[in-house]
Amino acid sequence: MKIPHALAQLGTVLELRVEKDGKRSTLSWPRKGLWLCTDSTQKRLYLVPAPKAAPGPLAGSAKRALKGVARAYKRWSEFEAGNVTPATVELGATEDRGCVASIAYRSDKWSGRADDYEHDFKGRPRLCCVGSVYVISGGGFSVTPSGIRG
């Protein structure tokens, strides 16, 4: 699975409820452990470790990708995208972790004040782990100005 060059941070992940092989489990992370992000398509969610800044300037492909994710961020939060954090993440083999029933996250969308939200997915998107990055895709959800829908 390919990870986009640029992602828009929507908030931080608190926990996921996942089902695999008929078993339900809850995955949770320490405060600010994983960033909740989306790409310019707004059809996938990426749970990315809080980055440590990568040295050097942004590559040309990353600069081009920033425009799309800046639009995604503004659509989500109603604020202009402000900061860019160049980072690297550890990628590896893709591992299926099951279907996602719900996600709890903290975001400052709309108000600029961090609030907690929970979204129960109507479809059952898949959760894959690609090295240190989790990817939620499928199930017909999208990231919209009113939050995660579907």
Side-chain angles (χ1 to χ4, degrees):
M1 175 178 287
K2 188 176 176 183
I3 304 294
H5 289 284
L7 298 171
Q9 182 191 8
L10 308 176
T12 55
V13 181
L14 301 174
E15 69 177 33
L16 291 176
R17 285 188 300 138
V18 179
E19 186 174 311
K20 185 173 182 184
D21 300 327
K23 297 178 186 175
R24 294 181 183 183
S25 61
T26 300
L27 304 174
S28 59
W29 293 271
R31 184 178 171 104
K32 297 187 179 182
L34 290 179
W35 284 6
L36 176 64
C37 301
T38 192
D39 59 19
S40 60
T41 70
Q42 298 176 260
K43 302 286 185 195
R44 288 189 173 139
L45 293 171
Y46 299 86
L47 288 54
V48 180
K52 296 170 182 71
L58 294 175
S61 56
K63 287 180 183 178
R64 289 187 297 276
L66 284 177
K67 289 181 182 178
V69 296
R71 283 191 301 272
Y73 178 79
K74 184 173 183 178
R75 186 171 182 227
W76 168 264
S77 68
E78 297 181 357
F79 297 113
E80 293 293 332
N83 297 324
V84 173
T85 303
T88 57
V89 293
E90 181 182 321
L91 300 178
T94 301
E95 176 188 347
D96 180 48
R97 300 294 300 264
C99 294
V100 181
S102 68
I103 184 170
Y105 61 96
R106 182 168 291 131
S107 178
D108 63 358
K109 60 184 177 180
W110 308 315
S111 68
R113 185 185 73 238
D115 289 312
D116 293 350
Y117 299 89
E118 184 167 350
H119 177 74
D120 295 319
F121 289 97
K122 292 179 183 171
R124 285 294 186 247
R126 303 297 300 179
L127 176 66
C128 293
C129 184
V130 184
S132 62
V133 177
Y134 291 88
V135 181
I136 301 172
S137 62
F141 78 89
S142 62
V143 175
T144 73
S146 56
I148 300 168
R149 294 289 175 234

